[in-house]
Amino acid sequence: MSFYINEIKALMGSGNWGSQEATVTLIITNMKSDEDTWRLINTLQALPGVSSVVPFPSHRRLMITYNSSQITLEIIGYHITKLGYHYIHKI
């Protein structure tokens, strides 16, 4: 049995067992100023599991990369709405 476990570890990369990175693009409908952009970036980057937030302010979008084993999109969305912003999940 341990043979198979070792083979799986080798195939998956033994250093990233719990890492489940996901990237989403969200449209923030009321992100209109640089202040809005920085407020969202600072709040989201402080969340455990969020590894990067890349803004596209002219398109009112945020590209967020996070570890799905530490945080969910629903929690990220909760923090966005808690700040008073509205978002649309863009696939």
Side-chain angles (χ1 to χ4, degrees), residues 5 7 11-12 26 28 31-32 37 39 41 47-48 50 52-54 58-59 63 68 75-76 86:
I5 292 173
E7 285 297 307
L11 289 172
M12 295 186 72
L26 301 179
I28 311 298
M31 182 175 74
K32 298 179 181 178
T37 303
R39 187 174 177 206
I41 290 170
L47 297 175
V50 174
S52 73
V53 180
V54 178
S58 61
H59 299 289
M63 186 170 63
S68 62
I75 293 171
I76 292 169
H86 306 284

Side-chain angles (χ1 to χ4, degrees), residues 32-39 57:
K32 298 179 181 178
S33 68
D34 288 341
E35 183 181 330
D36 292 333
T37 303
W38 288 112
R39 187 174 177 206

Side-chain angles (χ1 to χ4, degrees), residues 2-63:
S2 66
F3 169 79
Y4 293 109
I5 292 173
N6 291 334
E7 285 297 307
I8 291 171
K9 285 181 183 179
L11 289 172
M12 295 186 72
S14 59
N16 293 334
W17 267 94
S19 179
Q20 299 274 340
E21 279 218 340
T23 300
V24 295
T25 300
L26 301 179
I27 300 170
I28 311 298
T29 58
N30 56 336
M31 182 175 74
K32 298 179 181 178
S33 68
D34 288 341
E35 183 181 330
D36 292 333
T37 303
W38 288 112
R39 187 174 177 206
L40 285 160
I41 290 170
N42 291 333
T43 298
L44 295 176
Q45 284 182 335
L47 297 175
V50 174
S51 56
S52 73
V53 180
V54 178
F56 299 95
S58 61
H59 299 289
R60 296 184 182 166
R61 286 175 168 75
L62 293 176
M63 186 170 63

